[in-house]
Amino acid sequence: MIVDRFSIDFLGSVLGIHPGKWRWEGWAVMVWNMIWGIVFIVIGVFAFLKPEVIWKLTEQWKSSYADEPSELYRISTRLGGVIFAGIGIAAVVLSIW
């Protein structure tokens, strides 16, 4: 599908998006991507290093008998932390690139 200038202008007027405004807002998008990337990295590293704290905040209140998280929970939380940090690193790198 070929998108011409008319269809971009038409969609912009219908949706309230004006492509001319995007140029000066490019730095703002980059900064927000970097900020969210850093937040993702911090949360991911925290989940990797302290899965017990994540368990206490999110799961402990659901059980009256559990004193600590299972090994499967620790492994899956650490894996989730690695994935979360990876997404954060990708966001920071791609916002600079």
Side-chain angles (χ1 to χ4, degrees), residues 1-68:
M1 178 176 151
I2 298 174
V3 179
D4 59 352
R5 183 71 183 158
F6 174 75
S7 60
I8 292 174
D9 289 340
F10 176 73
L11 287 175
S13 63
V14 170
L15 298 175
I17 301 170
H18 303 287
K21 290 184 178 181
W22 294 347
R23 295 180 193 216
W24 68 271
E25 292 177 351
W27 66 271
V29 172
M30 182 183 74
V31 170
W32 277 112
N33 284 343
M34 290 180 77
I35 290 171
W36 282 112
I38 292 169
V39 168
F40 271 51
I41 292 169
V42 168
I43 292 171
V45 169
F46 183 74
F48 182 78
L49 296 177
K50 300 286 186 178
E52 295 83 13
V53 175
I54 302 289
W55 179 80
K56 285 181 183 178
L57 293 173
T58 61
E59 302 294 329
Q60 185 178 19
W61 63 273
K62 296 177 186 177
S63 175
S64 58
Y65 300 111
D67 293 332
E68 63 182 25

Side-chain angles (χ1 to χ4, degrees), residues 64-76:
S64 58
Y65 300 111
D67 293 332
E68 63 182 25
S70 66
E71 193 60 33
L72 177 62
Y73 183 86
R74 286 187 179 111
I75 292 170
S76 64

Side-chain angles (χ1 to χ4, degrees), residues 37 39-41 43-44 79-89:
V39 168
F40 271 51
I41 292 169
I43 292 171
L79 178 63
V82 168
I83 293 170
F84 224 69
I87 291 170
I89 291 168

